[in-house]
Amino acid sequence: MVRAFFAVELTDDIRNQCDAVQDMLRHTDAKLNWVNPALAHITLKFLGDISDDLLHRVEGVMSEFSFDPAEMTVSGVQLHPRKRPRIVWADVSDNGWGETTVAGMDKLLAPLGIPSETRIFTPHVTLGRIKRYDPSLRAALEKVAGHAFGEMRVDTITLKKSTLTPQGPVYEDIMEITI
């Protein structure tokens, strides 16, 4: 079994900004597991644990996938969900590109038995997962809420393998889909 997902990679500049924002939020009384900025990305579609055979069929189907390039802006930091927050994330503005792209992916993957997304796609970059919330986190967040991470052009989607370890996930690129 392979734990797999489709993602958009971030630029080094945006990853550096992720690191800077995490540093600004580390001094709260909340307990968080921070995402390594080198691994930060925008998840388009999580496939979950799939067999090697299904993974190969996904690669075959997705090798025919085409999409339009996109301009994305990463700006703003928030807690999600707002009530009982579990994640600190950076907002991503993509003018609907992600929702359209994921719908196209769902159409190709559904015949393979991979369910379509039921939630509306919300592009974001996860910065940290909240293990123990403390109100000091919300206060610190107000200082970085409007932080501008940067802009980027998307012309590649990557299928990634994720191996969970006690030290955090290890990602391996399986395939790239480019325009």
Side-chain angles (χ1 to χ4, degrees), residues 104-138:
M105 295 170 82
D106 282 344
K107 212 178 263 191
L108 284 176
L109 296 171
L112 300 179
I114 296 173
S116 296
E117 290 297 325
T118 56
R119 297 174 289 178
I120 294 173
F121 179 76
T122 305
H124 65 277
V125 177
T126 300
L127 300 174
R129 291 175 181 78
I130 301 168
K131 296 303 176 190
R132 183 180 42 80
Y133 176 77
D134 185 88
S136 62
L137 179 60
R138 197 172 299 274

Side-chain angles (χ1 to χ4, degrees), residues 7-179:
V8 170
E9 297 288 353
L10 303 176
T11 65
D12 288 340
D13 289 342
I14 292 175
R15 286 187 167 136
N16 289 338
Q17 290 300 312
C18 291
D19 190 35
V21 167
Q22 288 173 337
D23 282 345
M24 290 182 244
L25 296 175
R26 284 187 208 281
H27 308 292
T28 70
D29 292 328
K31 180 173 173 31
L32 288 95
N33 284 348
W34 296 105
V35 172
N36 179 342
L39 301 178
H41 59 272
I42 300 165
T43 300
L44 293 176
K45 182 160 183 71
F46 183 70
L47 303 178
D49 291 319
I50 60 174
S51 69
D52 288 336
D53 177 59
L54 181 54
L55 177 64
H56 293 303
R57 291 190 287 149
V58 165
E59 289 178 84
V61 166
M62 292 304 292
S63 67
E64 303 298 319
F65 184 67
S66 64
F67 62 95
D68 292 326
E71 296 296 326
M72 291 188 179
T73 301
V74 183
S75 179
V77 183
Q78 65 174 296
L79 301 177
H80 184 78
R82 293 193 193 280
K83 288 184 179 180
R84 295 188 174 162
R86 296 185 321 267
I87 299 171
V88 176
W89 78 29
D91 297 313
V92 175
S93 173
D94 69 359
N95 294 316
W97 176 87
E99 189 173 349
T100 301
T101 302
V102 170
M105 295 170 82
D106 282 344
K107 212 178 263 191
L108 284 176
L109 296 171
L112 300 179
I114 296 173
S116 296
E117 290 297 325
T118 56
R119 297 174 289 178
I120 294 173
F121 179 76
T122 305
H124 65 277
V125 177
T126 300
L127 300 174
R129 291 175 181 78
I130 301 168
K131 296 303 176 190
R132 183 180 42 80
Y133 176 77
D134 185 88
S136 62
L137 179 60
R138 197 172 299 274
L141 195 70
E142 289 176 13
K143 296 176 184 172
V144 296
H147 187 84
F149 292 75
E151 297 178 0
M152 60 185 250
R153 178 177 168 82
V154 178
D155 57 12
T156 303
I157 295 171
T158 307
L159 175 60
K160 296 180 144 323
K161 173 183 175 182
S162 172
T163 304
L164 301 178
T165 73
Q167 295 77 34
V170 175
Y171 298 146
E172 176 185 329
D173 293 352
I174 297 172
M175 77 178 289
E176 286 187 346
I177 307 163
T178 57
I179 56 170

